[in-house]
Amino acid sequence: MDLSTTYMGLKLKNPVIISSSRISGDLETIRQCVSYGAAAVVLKSIFEEQMSLRVEAKLKRSKENEAYYWFSEAKEKVLSLSREAILEHYLRFVKAAKSIDTSVPIISSIHCKSADNWPKYARQIEDAGADALELNISIFPFNNSMTSIEIEDLYVKILKKVKQEVSIPVSIKLGPFFTNLCTITNRLVDDGVDGLVLFNRYFRPDLDIDTLKVVSREHFSSPEEMSLPLRWIALLSGRKIPCDLVASTGIHYDTALIKQILVGARAVEICSTLFQNGIPHIAKILEGLEDWMMKHNFEKLDDFRGKSLDFQTTDARFERIQYMKRDFEEIF
Ligand SMILES: Cc1cc2nc3c(=O)[nH]c(=O)nc-3n(C[C@H](O)[C@H](O)[C@H](O)COP(=O)(O)O)c2cc1C
């Protein structure tokens, strides 16, 4: 069986990519993922906002630094130097991750607060040896001062600026909250995005019904959620969008991976399933894929990539959003 695939010009030995989370923020767990067969790793995102918060908190804690607050220029200087130190630390991490196994591409993930900083970080990360960049752009779509189109403009602006700065491939990991995914993806493709990762699954607030306060805990995805990327990958690859598509969210088992490839995905990114089933689960997913390919006489992924779309006469199956009587007539 040949499980190999390509993604944004990178050669992957199979379609399983580790998505960005703390699993990919630690060299030891990255090593384990690689040893169980991961074909590529998206490193834990570097968050500009978190860097600033960390630096601010450190300065506040440190009594002797209080003087800086009297001189705003001095404070700015200290803040920028400390940010650079954190970035340096991240760049060393990229280098170390890259040296684990040179045949496993390392994709670095960045999230910046201001549009201007993305290119600067991107360039340094490329210099540190990352094979590709995944832009974790997530502009919260509840904003009185920006229209939907202005939010989309910002996605495009960030992409253009980063593309000008680097020569490695650049993907964007989108969230599902757009008024029209068709237009935003068209714009990103026109402006040179090499890959789209559909979708990021954001932090979800919950309430404690005793304290009535919001609690923050890790909520992992469930396997049923894979129908979200399934629909959009089917629709976009049905339109032969000239950009590599990767499915993320709810890919827990081999079956979900197979389905995403059947609608045209180049690869999948997995996260929650590793927290829930352990890192060795990667090998099980790959075994399941091989068994299924053997059963169906497929020798390579291209033998069945997008094949399911041949069996749907139109996109209607994936565009339907209402449950209608027809569903029940078909079932019973
Ligand atoms: C604990 C945790 C941390 C995450 N951190 C990041 C991150 O730093 N950057 C990012 O782009 N996505 C992050 N994600 C989102 C995942 O990469 C992934 O897109 C999402 O969980 C959906 O995939 P899944 O269903 O396989 O979990 C995180 C998810 C979890 C559960």
Side-chain angles (χ1 to χ4, degrees):
M1 291 296 128
D2 177 5
L3 303 190
S4 69
T5 186
T6 58
Y7 172 43
M8 304 193 288
L10 305 172
K11 287 194 176 118
L12 309 190
K13 62 184 173 203
N14 64 57
V16 175
I17 302 175
I18 306 306
S19 57
S20 177
S21 82
R22 68 186 136 76
I23 288 178
S24 61
D26 175 88
L27 289 175
E28 186 42 43
T29 40
I30 295 177
R31 223 169 263 127
Q32 286 172 26
C33 290
V34 169
S35 75
Y36 283 103
V41 179
V42 184
L43 299 181
K44 173 79 187 148
S45 302
I46 178 164
F47 292 97
E48 183 197 7
E49 198 174 352
Q50 200 172 38
M51 272 164 48
S52 308
L53 290 175
R54 229 186 270 168
V55 171
E56 291 268 6
K58 210 169 160 194
L59 278 179
K60 271 189 197 140
R61 274 200 309 272
S62 157
K63 274 244 160 81
E64 66 264 42
N65 284 329
E66 264 173 26
Y68 291 125
Y69 287 85
W70 294 97
F71 305 102
S72 62
E73 275 176 23
K75 183 190 158 192
E76 263 319 301
K77 183 77 191 155
V78 170
L79 285 177
S80 78
L81 284 176
S82 311
R83 267 191 223 114
E84 270 165 35
I86 296 177
L87 184 60
E88 267 305 314
H89 182 76
Y90 185 77
L91 297 175
R92 279 199 298 276
F93 173 63
V94 173
K95 272 188 200 143
K98 187 64 210 139
S99 67
I100 289 177
D101 181 338
T102 47
S103 71
V104 174
I106 293 296
I107 304 171
S108 188
S109 167
I110 47 177
H111 174 93
C112 287
K113 209 167 106 188
S114 84
D116 297 330
N117 280 334
W118 294 80
K120 191 175 78 188
Y121 287 35
R123 192 177 51 244
Q124 295 191 55
I125 287 169
E126 176 177 39
D127 292 344
D131 296 288
L133 275 175
E134 184 177 280
L135 306 182
N136 170 9
I137 314 181
S138 32
I139 300 159
F140 196 62
F142 185 80
N143 193 325
N144 253 333
S145 56
M146 278 175 109
T147 63
S148 311
I149 199 77
E150 283 167 344
I151 292 182
E152 290 186 10
D153 288 347
L154 199 48
Y155 278 79
V156 174
K157 181 177 164 191
I158 293 167
L159 171 69
K160 278 183 174 169
K161 284 184 154 203
V162 170
K163 286 289 288 183
Q164 276 164 9
E165 244 3 270
V166 297
S167 54
I168 50 177
V170 177
S171 67
I172 298 187
K173 189 181 193 189
L174 293 174
F177 309 118
F178 285 92
T179 310
N180 187 345
L181 254 170
C182 198
T183 54
I184 179 70
T185 51
N186 278 341
R187 292 186 67 191
L188 295 171
V189 169
D190 287 346
D191 281 305
V193 77
D194 300 288
L196 287 171
V197 182
L198 308 175
F199 291 101
N200 204 340
R201 183 175 181 277
Y202 300 123
F203 166 75
R204 297 166 178 219
D206 193 1
L207 277 189
D208 181 318
I209 57 169
D210 292 320
T211 64
L212 313 191
K213 289 188 174 161
V214 169
V215 282
S216 71
R217 49 172 87 103
E218 284 176 342
H219 291 274
F220 298 120
S221 68
S222 65
E224 293 74 33
E225 291 178 55
M226 73 90 213
S227 63
L228 179 74
L230 188 80
R231 162 181 293 203
W232 296 102
I233 292 203
L235 288 174
L236 291 172
S237 67
R239 282 181 28 232
K240 310 237 174 301
I241 182 171
C243 149
D244 288 349
L245 301 170
V246 160
S248 160
T249 288
I251 324 291
H252 286 227
Y253 303 108
D254 52 337
T255 44
L257 159 63
I258 293 163
K259 289 177 192 178
Q260 302 293 341
I261 295 177
L262 279 170
V263 294
R266 302 297 314 171
V268 298
E269 288 191 7
I270 59 170
C271 173
S272 292
T273 194
L274 300 181
F275 281 101
Q276 292 171 324
N277 300 312
I279 291 175
H281 187 63
I282 299 168
K284 277 205 162 160
I285 294 178
L286 290 170
E287 253 173 56
L289 169 64
E290 258 191 304
D291 289 348
W292 179 85
M293 284 171 67
M294 203 127 51
K295 185 172 155 201
H296 291 270
N297 291 323
F298 293 131
E299 283 171 10
K300 54 186 189 310
L301 300 196
D302 279 338
D303 292 347
F304 65 97
R305 197 190 313 276
K307 208 169 173 57
S308 158
L309 301 179
D310 301 343
F311 290 86
Q312 324 292 326
T313 43
T314 65
D315 282 342
R317 283 273 150 202
F318 294 105
E319 280 180 26
R320 282 178 61 188
I321 53 173
Q322 301 289 348
Y323 286 102
M324 290 182 278
K325 197 164 168 264
R326 213 169 69 191
D327 291 321
F328 298 101
E329 280 169 354
E330 280 169 5
I331 292 168
F332 300 110

